[in-house]
Structures are given as structure tokens and as C-alpha cells.
Amino acid sequence: MKAKKSKKRFGFLTSLFGSDSNEPIHDVGLANHPGIELEDRESLEKLMLIIQNLPEKQKTAIILTKIEDRPQQEVAEIMGTSVKAVESLIQRAKAQIEKQLKRSEGF
């Protein structure tokens, strides 16, 4: 009887974990919370605004490589420049974005 009571008491825990292992069945980290979704949306809007204010070549390079996920060789062909120039533009764009994000967060 004591074992039955123990099973009932901890039954909710066994429903969260597989019977074969101690691995969780459900991923709690993927829970959708309105507050988290709002923060994510605001962060994305802030990031896109910063990208829009970058110099034209940096903006083009960062959008094509990071947002459209194009290879640097293809971006270089599109922009009529070398791969090294695209790498440089991306690095400068990243540095500018990081600087603007830190400034907006008050660091």
C-alpha cells in the first residue's frame, strides 16, 4: 500500500519523463509566453531598424548573407566586388550593429 501511495504522489513526475529513462518527454523551454514573444518582436524590430540605418553597402552585405542566407561568393558577384570586400563589409556591419545595440541598452 505504501508503494501505491508513493506512485500516486509522484505520478505527475513520471508523466513528464519517459518510463525507460530520465529524459524529459516535453521540452519546457519551447513554451510560448506572450511576454517573451513581445520581447522577441521588439528586439527584432530594434535590430531591423539598426540594419536599415547602416551604410548602403554594409546593409546589402548583411541582408544578403545573414537574412537571405546567401554564400559570400554569390553576394560578391551581386555587389560586383570581391569576397574579401564582402567579408570586410559584414565585419564592419556587425561591429556597428553591436555598438548600436549596446548604446540602446545603456551600456
Side-chain angles (χ1 to χ4, degrees):
M1 287 196 57
K2 191 174 183 181
K4 278 186 175 181
K5 285 183 182 180
S6 178
K7 284 183 182 179
K8 285 183 182 178
R9 185 177 309 146
F10 296 109
F12 74 95
L13 288 175
T14 57
S15 67
L16 295 176
F17 296 92
S19 59
D20 300 351
S21 67
N22 289 331
E23 296 297 317
I25 294 175
H26 304 289
D27 187 3
V28 179
L30 297 177
N32 291 334
H33 185 276
I36 294 172
E37 289 178 7
L38 180 62
E39 283 180 18
D40 289 347
R41 191 171 344 129
E42 289 172 351
S43 296
L44 180 60
E45 288 173 1
K46 186 187 307 183
L47 179 61
M48 293 309 291
L49 182 63
I50 291 170
I51 290 173
Q52 289 300 318
N53 290 324
L54 289 172
E56 198 62 35
K57 288 185 179 184
Q58 289 179 18
K59 177 171 51 173
T60 302
I62 204 82
I63 288 173
L64 290 174
T65 57
K66 301 301 179 186
I67 297 174
E68 293 186 10
D69 201 29
R70 296 179 185 240
Q72 289 183 3
Q73 178 64 42
E74 184 180 346
V75 174
E77 292 170 10
I78 291 170
M79 295 180 70
T81 189
S82 69
V83 174
K84 288 286 187 188
V86 171
E87 289 174 7
S88 177
L89 288 167
I90 292 168
Q91 291 304 316
R92 285 186 277 159
K94 285 181 177 181
Q96 189 68 19
I97 291 168
E98 184 177 347
K99 180 180 171 183
Q100 292 295 326
L101 285 173
K102 284 182 179 179
R103 184 181 296 156
S104 71
E105 292 173 356
F107 290 107

